[in-house]
Amino acid sequence: MALGDISPADASPGDRKAAGEALFRRKRWLSFGIPGLILAYLVYVFFAFDVPGLVDRARMDNARILVADSYSHKVHVTLDTRSGGFAYSIEGTAKGRFPDHLVPDWIERGDGRVAVDLGRGQSAVVAGDRVILTLPDGRVIDARSSRSGVEARLPDLSEFTVQQSDARLVVFLDGARLTVTRTRIDLFRYFLGWEMFWFDLDSPFYGKSTGELWHLATGAEPVRRGATNLEAMGQDFWSNRVWRHGDVAWALVETMIMAFIGTFGAAIIALPLAFLAARNFTPLGPLRFAVRRVFDFVRGVDGLIWTIVLARAFGPGPMTGALAILLTDTGSFGKMFSEALENVDRKQIEGVQSTGAHPLQRYRFGVIPQVMPIFLSQVLYYFESNTRSATIIGAIVGGGIGLFLTQAIQTQQDWEQVAYYIILIVIMVMIMDSLSGWLRARLIRGDPSGR
Amino acid sequence: MAFLTASPADPRGAYMALTHRRRLYSGLLLVVFVLMFIGTFQVAESRNAGGFWNGLSQIFDFPASAVREFVERIDRFPANLVRFFPSLIETVNIAAASTLFGALMGLVLALLSTRGLALWPRMIPVFRRSMDMLRALPEIVIALVLIFIMGGGPVPAMIAIALHTAGALGKLFSEVAENADLKPVEGLASVGANWTQRMWFGVLPQVAPNFISYAMLRFEINIRASAILGFVGAGGIGFDLRNTMTWGQGRFDQAVAIFILLFLTIVVVDQISSHYRNKLAPAEH
């Protein structure tokens, strides 16, 4: 491009040299100046975002809990020191509380005293308001919980993370954790896997091995009256109170519905309006201008703002999310469709016209076949990307899998469910991605751009 | 095809049969689509707190009351603009920094996963799949998890958007790079250039206009994304917007000021970026 400036043959060698040097200067500036500018910007952002302060604020113990919880579960042994009552539960929730006959055998229950095997040679005895925890090498953690505070005698625990204050003691052990506060003593033991994923504790199928389940499903006595065991298993899985498989499946469907109604509704509305915004179909200038500004407006007002405004009128739920997507995309589609219409080949329309077709037929056979492949591929492309947007919008309007995800994250302990939802979302988006790619390839054979 | 092979004795009949069949298929497809649309509409309607028709009549209630309040307190408008401007800058910074990092990451991923250019051709599927994963993860997922670890603020949002951008741009970049002319690369290889040099001097000059144009388009998208992430706690103007919206009555004048700021920013960035994109790649639309 720039070389064009020095090409004239009649330019003197001196001119050419000067022009060449100018070009080199420009290139040098570009190759040093632009990286320099970027670097300066990054330095500015580094301080504007307070990255140095972030290092202090980051909670790496949170990160550890998150990672550990996402692939494992913990069983709590809890002593309420006020009432003296023991509780045994999965993840410390009421839904995961073991009934008497299901308490694991590594918890030994005596009279007012409970011995817990914490694995890897670690064991603990809880009695009264006191816990004595023995490590494999014989070191002993001795802690007492009382109204006035937590008293603890600790050996050297430098290899473990210990958080200690007057009111609270937390020791992160190997695959286990001890927490003592003024009112309770908590022992956690970690196990691999997602507990109660198939059946919750209420189900008679809880804790059965695959072989036992197979036996039950294929021929044994029905566990529940009026249903075969296979049906009962299906019901128990679907209505699992901890993982809520039924609700989660509905949430995924809601998210896809939001994307579906939003995208295709927008396409249906944008199609006629695009004709009004295309120069070759609407000779009326002011009308064209007005329609185009409407497109710009709904596109420019962000999906976030539409979501907020619509949530006030329609209340929380998938319809609100669908309408927010619909409004934003009407603007995008209107703009893209009208551009495609302006590039339509007139010859085809004239050809159809020459056979005596009336205007409607001219549109149907002269215009639509030309633009339909482009429209469809754009719509399908947006459909795929809107599946992702619907997750985010769902988190704001309170619908679909986005809501489940934010709720699970806000409790700050159900990280295994967060991991489960993330996996489901990724699978859903990937399926939509390949579905829209497949449809694009099937419906639009010969579309060269592929987009 | 079928038209050419089927019964040459009666081409007209074969053609009409083919047309009818195609029309039937299109019609069936349309019917299925309409049924799906009505069905899903009713499901969404039944699972929404407020009904569609009911809400449609109230759609202007909130904007009207917000605008009324805004007009009543128009004297505070300049002060509000000044007040929320720093958050707007933060939102734009999040978008810019994440586009920058995401584009760099996407560039590397794209070159590593393009046939003919990849450093380790056997690893192409690995890099492709990892880009798919990055693209499939909605920003909000990464942002919320990082907010739990790092606390609220712009950095989690930036990382979340950058990762998603890397996946999205990586795919587009790789499509462009596939069409790059390999002759300069071979020439550089013949004089002993290593992979980085081959890419830097042989490929990048060819694809840079397209890459920059895609990155600018992404910047527009990322401004919207960063505003949305602010709404879930990641700082910037979205965060302010949520505060003004949830703190009950009497602050809608501020909300409107934020709407206006956000709208203007998006429109201005759209205009600037489309101007430069047209300059860079006139054929693109």
Side-chain angles (χ1 to χ4, degrees):
Chain A
M1 242 191 292
L3 274 171
D5 306 339
I6 35 173
S7 54
D10 53 323
S12 74
D15 285 351
R16 286 202 213 174
K17 183 166 179 288
E21 277 172 354
L23 182 66
F24 273 121
R25 268 200 300 282
R26 210 173 77 92
K27 290 236 155 168
R28 202 176 301 149
W29 188 87
L30 276 179
S31 54
F32 287 101
I34 289 181
L37 274 178
I38 291 177
L39 200 67
Y41 178 71
L42 287 183
V43 170
Y44 156 69
V45 164
F46 184 82
F47 289 105
F49 287 179
D50 190 23
V51 178
L54 187 79
V55 179
D56 299 333
R57 267 181 292 134
R59 300 270 313 269
M60 286 332 278
D61 50 326
N62 274 356
R64 202 162 46 220
I65 292 173
L66 189 160
V67 172
D69 268 16
S70 61
Y71 63 82
S72 63
H73 67 279
K74 52 188 193 295
V75 176
H76 292 224
V77 176
T78 308
L79 167 67
D80 184 337
T81 53
R82 283 185 189 164
S83 65
F86 281 96
Y88 315 95
S89 61
I90 295 165
E91 297 289 348
T93 57
K95 287 174 200 155
R97 182 174 274 201
F98 289 110
D100 261 352
H101 65 282
L102 283 177
V103 172
D105 52 8
W106 49 270
I107 301 173
E108 223 175 89
R109 287 176 292 168
D111 197 21
R113 165 179 188 287
V114 168
V116 184
D117 176 7
L118 291 175
R120 299 184 197 159
Q122 303 163 128
S123 62
V125 176
V126 188
D129 52 6
R130 191 166 174 204
V131 56
I132 297 173
L133 199 154
T134 318
L135 296 175
D137 54 5
R139 281 177 293 170
V140 171
I141 299 170
D142 184 348
R144 181 188 289 273
S145 146
S146 70
R147 297 272 155 87
S148 53
V150 177
E151 304 157 28
R153 265 180 300 165
L154 303 178
D156 171 39
L157 292 170
S158 47
E159 77 265 42
F160 300 122
T161 309
V162 179
Q163 295 165 358
Q164 193 178 8
S165 73
D166 286 347
R168 191 178 166 82
L169 168 73
V170 186
V171 185
F172 293 87
L173 297 158
D174 196 8
R177 195 185 335 161
L178 165 69
T179 308
V180 183
T181 65
R182 283 181 187 170
T183 53
R184 46 199 278 160
I185 296 174
D186 251 315
L187 284 163
F188 306 159
R189 181 172 169 185
Y190 281 92
F191 292 91
L192 265 189
W194 293 343
E195 190 60 5
M196 302 191 281
F197 182 76
W198 303 105
F199 305 111
D200 61 21
L201 289 172
D202 293 347
S203 166
F205 305 109
Y206 172 79
K208 298 268 192 293
S209 69
T210 319
E212 285 170 319
L213 287 174
W214 176 254
H215 175 70
L216 278 170
T218 45
E221 283 281 290
V223 178
R224 196 170 298 156
R225 207 180 299 165
T228 66
N229 277 335
L230 204 58
E231 282 167 8
M233 281 179 201
Q235 281 167 7
D236 283 2
F237 174 74
W238 196 248
S239 60
N240 185 324
R241 284 189 307 147
V242 179
W243 290 85
R244 299 162 66 194
H245 296 291
D247 296 340
V248 171
W250 259 114
L252 287 172
V253 170
E254 268 185 14
T255 303
M256 285 191 268
I257 284 179
M258 277 193 247
F260 181 76
I261 298 181
T263 315
F264 289 96
I268 293 170
I269 295 174
L271 187 61
L273 290 179
F275 280 94
L276 295 181
R279 193 176 303 126
N280 43 353
F281 290 96
T282 305
L284 205 62
L287 178 64
R288 208 167 61 218
F289 182 82
V291 175
R292 283 191 182 182
R293 290 297 85 79
V294 169
F295 287 157
D296 285 348
F297 178 73
V298 289
R299 211 161 45 90
V301 175
D302 190 36
L304 171 67
I305 298 175
W306 285 128
T307 309
I308 295 168
V309 170
L310 292 173
R312 295 265 162 169
F314 295 95
M319 180 60 86
T320 313
L323 292 176
I325 294 176
L326 187 145
L327 268 178
T328 325
D329 281 4
T330 302
S332 310
F333 286 150
K335 181 165 183 269
M336 290 189 304
F337 288 1
S338 64
E339 278 168 3
L341 285 172
E342 284 180 355
N343 293 328
V344 154
D345 189 358
R346 292 228 46 103
K347 289 195 199 95
Q348 286 196 31
I349 307 172
E350 280 160 15
V352 174
Q353 196 174 5
S354 71
T355 63
H358 58 75
L360 211 63
Q361 285 173 329
R362 252 180 275 157
Y363 282 114
R364 168 65 186 84
F365 295 103
V367 182
I368 295 288
Q370 285 190 55
V371 292
M372 217 47 192
I374 307 173
F375 286 4
L376 264 180
S377 86
Q378 281 167 344
V379 169
L380 286 171
Y381 183 73
Y382 266 68
F383 180 44
E384 180 244 310
S385 104
N386 277 339
T387 317
R388 232 175 357 248
S389 315
T391 314
I392 303 182
I393 288 178
I396 298 172
V397 298
I401 193 79
L403 178 69
F404 275 67
L405 182 76
T406 39
Q407 279 176 347
I409 289 180
Q410 271 155 11
T411 61
Q412 303 211 336
Q413 47 194 2
D414 301 331
W415 294 110
E416 66 283 0
Q417 272 157 29
V418 173
Y420 176 50
Y421 299 150
I422 291 177
I423 292 171
L424 286 178
I425 290 172
V426 169
I427 292 175
M428 174 181 74
V429 173
M430 282 183 154
I431 289 177
M432 288 309 223
D433 193 359
S434 20
L435 182 73
S436 108
W438 180 79
L439 274 176
R440 261 180 288 165
R442 290 306 303 262
L443 293 175
I444 315 147
R445 241 166 285 166
D447 169 37
S449 73
R451 261 194 62 182
Chain B
M1 281 302 189
F3 166 61
L4 291 177
T5 48
S7 63
D10 182 18
R12 189 186 146 81
Y15 175 74
M16 288 313 283
L18 185 71
T19 316
H20 281 148
R21 203 166 48 220
R22 280 187 59 179
R23 218 174 270 173
L24 182 71
Y25 284 160
S26 313
L28 273 179
L29 212 63
L30 199 67
V31 169
V32 168
F33 172 76
V34 169
L35 286 180
M36 261 178 84
F37 197 83
I38 294 173
T40 51
F41 187 86
Q42 269 161 359
V43 172
E45 167 87 356
S46 69
R47 295 181 76 85
N48 211 58
F52 175 70
W53 302 110
N54 202 13
L56 212 54
S57 59
Q58 301 168 2
I59 197 164
F60 292 111
D61 289 5
F62 169 66
S65 73
V67 167
R68 207 178 311 125
E69 200 170 313
F70 173 70
V71 173
E72 272 169 26
R73 303 191 189 163
I74 191 77
D75 53 313
R76 295 195 203 165
F77 180 55
N80 280 338
L81 285 189
V82 172
R83 178 168 160 204
F84 293 116
F85 193 70
S87 327
L88 180 69
I89 295 291
E90 184 165 81
T91 294
V92 175
N93 271 336
I94 292 172
S98 57
T99 310
L100 206 58
F101 284 121
L104 288 177
M105 252 194 303
L107 173 70
V108 176
L109 280 174
L111 294 178
L112 286 174
S113 62
T114 306
R115 243 170 278 123
L117 301 177
L119 182 55
W120 308 288
R122 278 164 187 282
M123 298 285 281
I124 288 178
V126 177
F127 289 115
R128 289 237 164 130
R129 285 297 86 74
S130 54
M131 286 197 302
D132 287 349
M133 291 287 281
L134 287 175
R135 228 152 13 95
L137 263 183
E139 292 105 333
I140 195 170
V141 172
I142 308 171
L144 285 173
V145 169
L146 287 179
I147 287 172
F148 174 65
I149 297 173
M150 299 183 176
V155 178
M158 193 204 79
I159 297 175
I161 301 176
L163 288 178
H164 182 78
T165 303
L169 282 182
K171 184 179 180 230
L172 293 173
F173 284 180
S174 149
E175 277 165 12
V176 175
E178 250 168 23
N179 297 324
D181 186 3
L182 287 180
K183 287 195 195 102
V185 182
E186 284 158 14
L188 284 163
S190 72
V191 296
N194 64 21
W195 184 76
T196 322
Q197 290 165 333
R198 289 203 300 274
M199 294 301 120
W200 189 258
F201 298 109
V203 180
L204 273 193
Q206 295 185 51
V207 294
N210 272 318
F211 279 19
I212 294 173
S213 143
Y214 279 137
M216 280 177 168
L217 193 63
R218 198 68 219 177
F219 178 55
E220 286 174 40
I221 299 171
N222 283 351
I223 287 188
R224 293 158 187 258
S226 104
I228 288 192
L229 285 189
F231 205 79
V232 297
I237 198 138
F239 189 66
D240 288 340
L241 183 59
R242 188 178 64 174
N243 286 343
T244 56
M245 294 296 300
T246 51
W247 281 23
Q249 298 295 311
R251 299 183 49 168
F252 291 151
D253 57 323
Q254 298 179 3
V256 173
I258 293 176
F259 283 178
I260 292 173
L261 275 177
L262 198 55
F263 177 68
L264 288 180
T265 313
I266 288 172
V267 169
V268 167
V269 171
D270 267 26
Q271 291 299 327
I272 295 176
S273 117
S274 73
H275 173 76
Y276 279 103
R277 274 187 290 130
N278 283 336
K279 259 182 136 179
L280 280 169
E284 257 354 270
H285 53 80

